[in-house]
Amino acid sequence: MITTAGFHPSGEEDDHPAIFTKYADSDPWIAVHLLQFIGVLVTLSGLLVLYRVLRGADGPSLVAQLGAAAAVATAAIWAVLQGLDGVGLKQAVDSWVSASGSEKAIRFANAETVRWLEWGFQSYFRILLGLTLALFGAAILVGRRVPGWLGWTALVAGVCSLIFGVDVGYSGLASGVQDVLGIAIFLLVLVFAFGVLVTGVRERGRRHS
């Protein structure tokens, strides 16, 4: 989030001529997306660590297993999305900016095709992420090994992400719904991650006391 806010060009995301020009002018574009890629993978890895906690003495619940599987699928689609956005789109807009004459229109059409593929993968990434969070939230509520309020936090964040993903499919990468849900998801996931961390530290303290 910090990397995106500080270094990722922003504007009217669906105004392609304007936003493509900003993307072409962005020197740290590829590096920023690499950092985003690593950051989300670390977050998803944290959910897999949580999965080990939720397994318990009797083994993992079906909901927890589905959550872990969804996390792996989310990581896979995230990798494709970042490859498209972080590398493919950058090369496409750079080619458009440097082209001239009749070739410029062809290059712009190529860049838009990459952009629309990004829309599709962004939509399904958000949906899968929402499903992952919702399943982990449900697993927490069922397992009772982690405070229930954390389960509800993850569940609400998951529902918000699902709605976000569906909206991307219909509206593209810019809408008022996404503006509101984006902030809500960030805050909910932040609270969830911090709550899980504090719970883990307290649990470890009890074991060593």
Side-chain angles (χ1 to χ4, degrees):
M1 183 79 172
I2 296 174
T3 301
T4 302
F7 299 99
H8 194 295
S10 61
E12 181 52 58
E13 298 293 332
D14 294 339
D15 181 356
H16 290 169
I19 201 65
F20 286 176
T21 301
K22 289 185 178 182
Y23 291 170
D25 290 338
S26 176
D27 292 330
W29 180 271
I30 294 176
V32 166
H33 285 77
L34 180 59
L35 290 175
Q36 289 178 335
F37 175 64
I38 294 171
V40 171
L41 287 188
V42 169
T43 301
L44 293 172
S45 297
L47 289 176
L48 294 179
V49 172
L50 177 60
Y51 166 72
R52 293 177 62 86
V53 174
L54 295 173
R55 285 167 60 177
D58 299 327
S61 66
L62 176 60
V63 178
Q65 289 177 316
L66 291 173
V72 173
T74 303
I77 199 169
W78 175 247
V80 176
L81 172 60
Q82 289 303 94
L84 275 172
D85 187 16
V87 179
L89 183 59
K90 175 60 173 171
Q91 299 304 316
V93 298
D94 284 352
S95 296
W96 166 63
V97 168
S98 62
S100 60
S102 60
E103 184 184 5
K104 201 169 186 72
I106 296 173
R107 294 295 186 183
F108 182 77
N110 290 341
E112 280 201 313
T113 298
V114 178
R115 182 63 152 186
W116 291 327
L117 286 170
E118 181 196 348
W119 282 16
F121 280 99
Q122 179 73 249
S123 175
Y124 277 77
F125 162 70
R126 292 286 183 171
I127 290 170
L128 272 175
L129 177 62
L131 181 62
T132 300
L133 291 170
L135 286 169
F136 270 97
I140 289 172
L141 293 173
V142 170
R144 301 179 183 276
R145 296 179 62 85
V146 177
W149 68 270
L150 287 173
W152 285 112
T153 302
L155 194 58
V156 173
V159 172
C160 289
S161 187
L162 283 165
I163 297 171
F164 192 117
V166 172
D167 188 69
V168 169
Y170 284 97
S171 305
L173 299 177
S175 76
V177 171
Q178 291 172 37
D179 291 340
V180 173
L181 290 178
I183 296 172
I185 293 167
F186 173 73
L187 293 176
L188 287 167
V189 170
L190 188 65
V191 169
F192 174 71
F194 184 73
V196 170
L197 177 62
V198 170
T199 299
V201 170
R202 287 179 177 175
E203 184 63 26
R204 179 173 296 182
R206 291 193 191 98
R207 291 177 182 176
H208 290 287
S209 61

